[in-house]
Each structure stands twice: as structure tokens, then as C-alpha cells.
Amino acid sequence: MSTARRGPLLLGVRHHGPGSARAVRAALDEARPAAVLIEGPPEGDALLELAADPGMRPPVALLAHTADDPGRAAFWPLADFSPEWVAIRWAQQAGVPVRFMDLPAAHSLAAAGEPDADHAEPDAVRLDPLAVLAETAGYDDPERWWEDVVEHRGTGGEGGEALGAFEALGEAMGALRETYGDGGHHRDLVREAYMRQRMRAARREFGDGYAVVCGAWHVPALRAKTTVAADKALLTGLAKVKVETTWVPWTHRRLARAGGYGAGITSPGWYAHLFSARDRPVERWLTKVAGLLREEDRQVSSAHVIEAVRLAETLAAMRGRPLPGLTETLESVRAVMCDGSDIPLALIEDRLVVGDVLGEVPDGAPVVPLQRDLTRQQRSLRLKAEAQERELELDLRKDTDAAKSLLLHRLRLLGIGWGTPTASRSSTGTFRETWRLRWEPELSVRVAEAGIWGTTVLAAATAKAEADAAAAEELGEVTALAEKCLLAGLSEALPAVLRALADRAALDTDVARLAKALPALARSLRYGDVRGTDATALGAVAAGLAERICVALPPACAAGLDADAAAELRGHVDGVHGAVGLLADADDGLRERWSAVLRTLADRDTVPGVIRGRAARLLLDDGRLEAGETARLMGLALSPAASPADAAGWIEGFAGGSSGGGTLLVHDDRLLALIDTWLVGVPERAFTDVLPLLRRTFGAYEPGVKRTLGELVRRGPAASAQAARATGSAPEGFAPDLDPERADAVTELVRMLLASPDGVAAA
């Protein structure tokens, strides 16, 4: 190490800066320090040796979490182009000690759990040092300024140049600290006090022959002359918790600011390219872009690449930049390769500028037993964790696919959302499942959290299901849990779930909650049958639930419901009807009992129109209601005695939604004529009230159906009524014209009712 320099070598860097990384390597090669201190939690010191393992492939992150609450965690991500990672690998290759020097995670995680910890004053502004320096230099973009002064100048090829760059950056940060103090980063004062303590310990061991790699913002504070007592005072009384640490895979996407990482960068894929491209970075980058566009079937030739390079260099020269930056390359790509379109450019920004590179961690890294079991199953099932989203089609009749399904469902029950079920494009059968998979780094924390439930995925999911059943307060929660247990093959958890289900079903008197719970049970029985799971006990509970619904639903629907409550119950009627279809095979009489309930709802005039109409439609679809009887019910619902709002509700229940009501009206002139006649007779003031409901009903029809209905009613109400007479479709009692003979028959009765006491009819 040079004797001309006094004190340790302080290398102030930008986290995840490829220019800083190259400069750090050059500076360390020049200075050859006896030890290296890295910004990071000292609890990770024992894990540093894994950085040299061939199985460790950045991006990775040091994960620290509290032992009793794994959800309280912090990450320290590192990429190939992170200066800290370069320093760690340099020290290991040089055979010198390397250690972390930041405030221990035991303190920082304890502070994170305290209210208002590490928060600035309400009116304080947290300073962005790079933004201030960029603005001072006349730049409106900190990223562009950093590229110009660091990434594209003084690449670190010579140690002297690198050391000079670090000195200049340190002086700039010193000026900022003199002007802005801690810049709103109040917690940094405590961190820097601890860093100085670690530096004092290193000085006692190595003299001044050690190097420090930390954020450039901290360099002035680490150079400052402070007393041991002052630093101890800042560190006295800090809260502390027990923590555990490990390495976990990270992704380029999570290094980006868009991923929520505080020290992130906007273009990790671009920075990784700058770090790995030793020469001609622009030409190599635009060649990558051309390759991606060709994979997407876009016509991109070598001539496009050459022209894009020329345009990027021209733009950089016009703007006074030493080399084309990301802005110039993207502008040239948009103009030359994308024909001015932003759509392919968005693909380039997503795949290349950010990217989905996922790191790897060696098997020797400490993990919770649950993570070890999950890793074993991932390998045996060939279900690789990937950062890029992909779809997985499963055929549950195949043993391997069924095992994959069970694993994914068990992880979802544990709150580990690696896979999300989605609609299958190829099949809708119960033997098919489609999953959308994407592994996010934060899932490692979820696995650590779930480790409290068991050491294997099966044991943990079983214990979690039993605990959720005991804690559930509503019937719907337990029925949903029963469905999850069957999907996940948790036969050992089912008894506890069924006990909770039976207890809550027996105490629940709300028919809406009962009706909401039944469909999930019916689906559970079906899925259990598909997966070979014994669900006999669940079938008994479902049958009892269905019986209670059949008894309680008619009174509940006739209790003067408002519009919202009626619409909610209409939805429950649909759900129960579908559930009965699934349960009917096990109970032959259930379908008949449910049909009787629907008939009661359809006939009872105290039931809201939307429910009566829906009941009539379900009976018609099941072949339990004749066409003539359907027309009679509609005629009654649309008679002048019915309120317009109730009549419109009946139409919505009967013909609304995606139930094929439009097609039914196209093929049944009688029903269409009745609706047409009613509609033209609605009073003007009432029409404005029912119009939104009618628009919602008929607006859901397919364009072809709406066009056909329009052609049919274009003939007008008279023609529709005429068609009804021609087909004899008018229901009994609702003939188009007045019948004088039947009208005269009630004359004497009306006179008797209106007669005065002396027998003379009242005026």
C-alpha cells in the first residue's frame, strides 16, 4: 500500500454502479490493502465465504430476519456489477480478510418494528445526493449525469485514475454534507457511528492498511474526527432483536427502483451489460436488441444495427456526451428498428433494460428446513423457480402433474404465492389446471415465515389449515378452507376443518351466508373426487346445508328486501342452483326439493321481481316450466298492476347477464312481444327510473343478438302484439282486446260494492 496516503483507503461508491465496480477493482489492485470492510450487516460475516462458492451466481441478496418474526426482514442485494460484490471477490482472491461494517441487523430490524422509527420530521426532505450534484452540473437527469462522469469516463483501467475519481467524489460529498448535514437521513448518523467503531477495530488489527467500500454519502462522516465517547453515546440504548441471516436469489427486476428497492437503479440490465462489455459496449448492446426483436419476428438486419449505432453516436456528439448512453441507444432503436413505435420499445425496456435474470445460491447456504424441503420437491418435480412469468398446464390424471398441483396449492395455503391459478385456454375440464408462475425474491421471506408451521411443505400446510379453521369466525371462511384442503390434498387437516364447518353451520341462521358457503363445498366434493380424496364427511355437511337453505330461502326472499339485498340474494340463488347440480348425484331428492323452492319463488308476488324472474328462468332452463306457463308468469310480472321497477327487475332476473336471455327472446316471439308491449306502456316518469336497469340487462347481450332483437322490434309494438295473437301466445287473461261479455259479468258486483246505504249507487 502506498505510504504517501495517510489513513485507510476510503472508496465511496454508488451501489450497483458498474463504473464504481470497475474503479473499486482497479483501486484495490493498486493499493493492495491488508483487509477490506464492506457496507453491510456484520451478522453476514459468517456467510461471506459462500461468495466464493461456484454455485453462487449473482444477483443475490443477504437476507436478515428476526428469529421470532421472519416477516420482519431486510435485504442487502448484490449484483455482478455491484462495487461491494467486486470488493468481496477481490479480497477472497487476494487472500485478505473481508468483513461487513454497517450497523448490525439486530439493531436496524428492532428499530424497524418501533413506531415512527427512522422517520424524518414531517416537513424534512430526504436529500438525493446524485440529484443535487447532477443539477449543479447542469443536468436534469441524475442517471445521465452519473453515466457521463463515472460510467463513460475513467473506467478504472488504471489504478491512479480510479483513486483520483474516488477523491473527487468524496470531496463533492463532503461539500454536500457541510451544506445539508445528514440530508434528512437521520438514521445514518447512528450507522456512521458504528462504522467508525468498526474502523477503529480494523486499525488496531491492520494499522491504516485497510480499505473501506461504502456509499459515497458516508465518506465525509467516516473521515471526520470524532471521539469514541461521542460514537458510543449515539449507540447507547439501541433496541436489539435476535436475527438469522442467509443468502437468497435476487433478480435484476428487484434491483430496479420500480421494484420498490430503496437503493435501486432504473436500468439493471443495461448496467450489467456495461460491466460485462469490455469493448464496443454500444455495438454489443444494439446487437442484443436486434436479437430480441428477431425472436419476436420483426425484420431487423445488420444494416439496421449499423445505422442505429451511427445514430446513437451522432446524438451523443450533439449532446456533448463522451459515449452514447441508454437514452441515445433507445432513441436510435426506436427510430431505426421499431419504425417509431413505442410497443416494441417497451418490450426492449422490459426484457433488456431491466431484465429477469435470477441469481442462484449454493446448497450450503443456511435455510429453514421448510425451504430445504421445498427445494427438494422443486428439483424432483422439475419445477424450476424462474423470475420470468410463465404458464404451466397440468393434467391431473398424470402423477407428476398432480404432484405439482398439490405443491402449488399447499404453498398458496401457506401464503407463498409462487403460482396463481388461471383460466385454461385449452380445456375447462376438472382434470386440467393452468398456473401462472413467477418467483419473486420476497417469497424467500414468506417461506421463512411459514417455517413456524412445520419442517416440510405438507406438514406446514396441514398445521396452517388446522389453525385457520380454529380461528375462522364466519362460515364462508371455513368452506373456502375446506376447498383449499381438498385441492392441496390435506386429508389429515380435513377432520379439524369439518368440525369447525359443522359447528359454524349449526349456529349460523343467516340464509345468505349459508347460500354463499354451499357452492364452495360442492366444488370441494367434485375436486376431491377428481383427486381421489375421500370427502364423504364433507358430503354429509353439504347435504345438511342444502336442506337448511331449501327451508329458509323462501321466507328470506319475501321479507321486504331493498334492491341491493334482492340483487345479492339473486346471486346466491344462482350459486345454490349450480351447487345442487353438483350434489344431486349423491342425493336424488335434492334436485326435486330445490325445484319446488324455485317454483315457490317464481309464483309468490311478494318476492322481489329480480328473484322471481331468475327462479322462472332456472326452471325453464331445467325443463321444469312449460313455455306457456313461462309466458303467463311474465305477463303477470309485466301487468299494469306491477310497479315499473319491479317489472324491470323481473326482466333482469329472467333475461339478464350472460345466461343466454337474448337468444331466448330471439327465438320466442311471445316473450319478446310481452316485453315490447310493457316497455312502450311504461309511464315517462317511471321510464327514466328503470332505464339504467334495462340498459344493464340488454347491454350485456352479444352484438349479433342485439342486432337481431332490434330487427324484430323494429316492426313496432302493434306488430309484436299481432304476432302474439297469430300464434296464440298471449297468456290467459291478457288478451289484446277487451272482451265485453266478460267485462259485463262483473258490473252487478261492482254496483253492490259501491252502493250507498239506501241502495242508490254512489256517484
Side-chain angles (χ1 to χ4, degrees):
M1 188 171 180
S2 173
T3 58
R5 182 177 55 256
R6 299 178 60 185
L9 175 64
L10 299 183
L11 303 178
V13 301
R14 183 191 186 188
H15 302 299
H16 318 310
S20 288
R22 286 192 297 269
V24 162
R25 184 161 51 201
L28 293 176
D29 284 338
E30 171 75 11
R32 308 300 298 180
V36 179
L37 302 184
I38 309 289
E39 183 179 331
E43 291 94 340
D45 284 351
L47 303 175
L48 280 171
E49 62 180 2
L50 289 172
D53 192 298
M56 181 76 86
R57 298 179 183 176
V60 294
L62 186 67
L63 164 65
H65 62 82
T66 59
D68 58 348
D69 181 12
R72 194 193 303 179
F75 297 97
W76 287 262
L78 297 169
D80 274 322
F81 51 86
S82 299
E84 297 89 345
W85 181 260
V86 169
I88 291 170
R89 295 295 294 123
W90 182 92
Q92 290 173 332
Q93 292 165 2
V96 303
V98 56
R99 299 166 187 169
F100 286 120
M101 63 176 297
D102 204 347
L103 186 71
H107 296 310
S108 58
L109 288 177
E114 298 175 355
D116 301 325
D118 198 23
H119 287 182
E121 295 299 325
D123 296 330
V125 177
R126 294 175 70 90
L127 182 72
D128 181 353
L130 293 186
V132 176
L133 292 177
E135 184 179 0
T136 303
Y139 284 74
D140 58 359
D141 182 1
E143 293 291 329
R144 190 159 57 87
W145 174 80
W146 182 260
E147 282 192 347
D148 284 356
V149 300
V150 178
E151 306 303 337
H152 295 160
R153 295 186 190 272
T155 59
E158 297 292 338
E161 293 180 6
L163 292 173
F166 285 120
E167 287 294 330
L169 188 58
E171 291 177 5
M173 291 298 172
L176 289 178
R177 293 296 291 257
E178 289 180 6
T179 304
Y180 296 101
D182 61 22
H185 304 266
H186 301 320
R187 191 70 178 175
D188 285 351
L189 300 179
V190 178
R191 294 174 57 202
E192 289 158 354
Y194 188 84
M195 291 182 192
R196 288 190 292 267
Q197 283 198 343
R198 296 283 283 188
M199 290 173 64
R200 294 185 184 103
R203 183 177 296 111
R204 290 192 294 270
E205 187 173 357
F206 305 106
D208 284 338
Y210 66 94
V212 172
V213 179
C214 64
W217 175 253
H218 301 300
V219 169
L222 300 186
R223 283 179 176 164
K225 301 297 183 180
T226 60
T227 65
V228 174
D231 286 342
K232 283 185 177 180
L234 285 172
L235 298 170
T236 299
L238 291 180
K240 189 175 182 179
V241 293
K242 184 179 179 181
V243 301
E244 297 175 357
T245 57
T246 186
W247 290 105
V248 296
W250 204 254
T251 67
H252 276 179
R253 192 170 299 279
R254 283 301 183 192
L255 283 173
R257 285 203 180 97
Y261 169 51
I265 51 179
T266 58
S267 49
W270 165 252
Y271 274 9
H273 169 77
L274 290 180
F275 184 70
S276 62
R278 296 297 180 180
D279 64 326
R280 305 170 73 93
V282 176
E283 291 85 342
R284 296 180 186 277
W285 174 257
L286 291 174
T287 301
K288 280 185 182 181
V289 172
L292 174 62
L293 293 176
R294 287 172 188 147
E295 291 175 2
E296 298 297 321
D297 295 327
R298 293 188 67 89
Q299 299 298 319
V300 179
S301 66
S302 299
H304 285 92
V305 177
I306 295 171
E307 185 60 30
V309 170
R310 289 174 177 170
L311 179 56
E313 291 176 343
T314 301
L315 290 172
M318 292 174 59
R319 295 166 181 172
R321 307 194 68 183
L323 282 175
L326 182 60
T327 302
E328 286 73 30
T329 58
L330 290 181
E331 288 178 0
S332 65
V333 165
R334 185 179 186 275
V336 177
M337 299 183 186
C338 301
D339 300 322
S341 173
D342 289 331
I343 296 175
L345 191 65
L347 176 70
I348 294 166
E349 291 176 339
D350 182 69
R351 298 275 187 88
L352 293 181
V353 176
V354 177
D356 284 308
V357 176
L358 176 65
E360 296 181 15
V361 171
D363 294 337
V367 294
V368 295
L370 180 63
Q371 177 67 69
R372 192 171 294 112
D373 180 64
L374 174 57
T375 302
R376 179 188 61 79
Q377 293 194 53
Q378 288 173 326
R379 289 176 178 170
S380 65
L381 296 174
R382 296 182 180 179
L383 205 54
K384 186 178 180 181
E386 297 176 327
Q388 189 169 359
E389 185 176 276
R390 68 184 180 96
E391 281 197 355
L392 177 67
E393 295 277 353
L394 299 178
D395 184 343
L396 302 184
R397 294 168 293 187
K398 300 178 180 178
D399 292 342
T400 301
D401 282 7
K404 291 178 181 178
S405 172
L406 292 177
L407 175 62
L408 293 171
H409 279 295
R410 289 167 183 171
L411 291 176
R412 278 178 57 81
L413 194 148
L414 288 168
I416 305 169
W418 179 20
T420 303
T422 186
S424 176
R425 293 176 295 182
S426 58
S427 172
T428 57
T430 57
F431 288 100
R432 296 280 183 182
E433 272 187 357
T434 302
W435 291 81
R436 186 174 292 114
L437 301 182
R438 184 171 192 162
W439 186 266
E440 300 283 2
E442 288 81 354
L443 294 179
S444 299
V445 178
R446 303 284 84 79
V447 174
E449 285 182 301
I452 64 173
W453 299 108
T455 58
T456 67
V457 175
L458 175 59
T462 299
K464 179 71 160 53
E466 292 174 345
D468 287 349
E473 297 180 356
E474 294 186 2
L475 179 61
E477 296 177 33
V478 189
T479 55
L481 182 60
E483 184 176 10
K484 292 177 182 177
C485 287
L486 285 174
L487 289 170
L490 303 179
S491 56
E492 293 186 5
L494 271 178
V497 175
L498 291 178
R499 284 195 299 272
L501 178 60
D503 292 344
R504 284 156 183 76
L507 297 175
D508 204 324
T509 59
D510 189 326
V511 69
R513 285 200 293 265
L514 297 177
K516 184 178 180 180
L518 185 62
L521 291 182
R523 290 194 303 270
S524 299
L525 287 168
R526 189 177 187 184
Y527 290 137
D529 178 62
V530 169
R531 297 162 191 271
T533 306
D534 184 9
T536 305
L538 192 62
V541 175
L545 207 60
E547 290 291 346
R548 293 182 59 192
I549 292 170
C550 288
V551 172
L553 188 59
C557 291
L561 301 173
D562 59 23
D564 292 338
E568 180 183 357
L569 269 182
R570 175 257 176 106
H572 291 322
V573 168
D574 278 339
V576 172
H577 186 74
V580 167
L582 296 176
L583 298 173
D585 293 338
D587 186 348
D588 295 335
L590 179 59
R591 194 186 300 274
E592 295 298 327
R593 292 192 292 277
W594 175 245
S595 295
V597 172
L598 291 178
R599 187 60 199 237
T600 300
L601 295 176
D603 286 339
R604 189 171 293 176
D605 57 5
T606 57
V607 173
V610 67
I611 299 177
R612 281 186 286 124
R614 192 62 191 152
R617 178 59 191 276
L618 294 176
L619 289 169
L620 178 65
D621 289 346
D622 282 353
R624 295 177 179 273
L625 198 63
E626 297 293 335
E629 180 65 6
T630 303
R632 186 187 72 83
L633 290 174
M634 180 180 282
L636 290 171
L638 304 184
S639 69
S643 70
D646 193 66
W650 197 98
I651 295 173
E652 181 188 26
F654 184 83
S658 57
S659 59
T663 304
L664 178 65
L665 296 179
V666 166
H667 294 287
D668 195 323
D669 289 340
R670 296 173 300 173
L671 300 182
L672 181 60
L674 284 168
I675 293 178
D676 187 22
T677 302
W678 169 79
L679 187 59
V680 298
V682 174
E684 181 178 353
R685 293 180 60 185
F687 183 79
T688 58
D689 294 332
V690 302
L691 181 59
L693 192 150
L694 294 173
R695 182 173 292 166
R696 182 173 68 234
T697 301
F698 295 108
Y701 293 165
E702 295 180 357
V705 172
K706 288 190 283 188
R707 185 166 51 251
T708 303
L709 287 175
E711 290 295 327
L712 290 175
V713 300
R714 189 164 55 90
R715 295 171 291 179
S720 299
Q722 191 175 37
R725 286 196 303 272
T727 57
S729 62
E732 184 178 356
F734 290 89
D737 299 321
L738 181 66
D739 186 340
E741 183 176 352
R742 296 184 65 188
D744 289 342
V746 300
T747 302
E748 288 298 321
L749 179 60
V750 171
R751 285 179 176 173
M752 291 177 61
L753 293 174
L754 299 178
S756 62
D758 58 0
V760 180

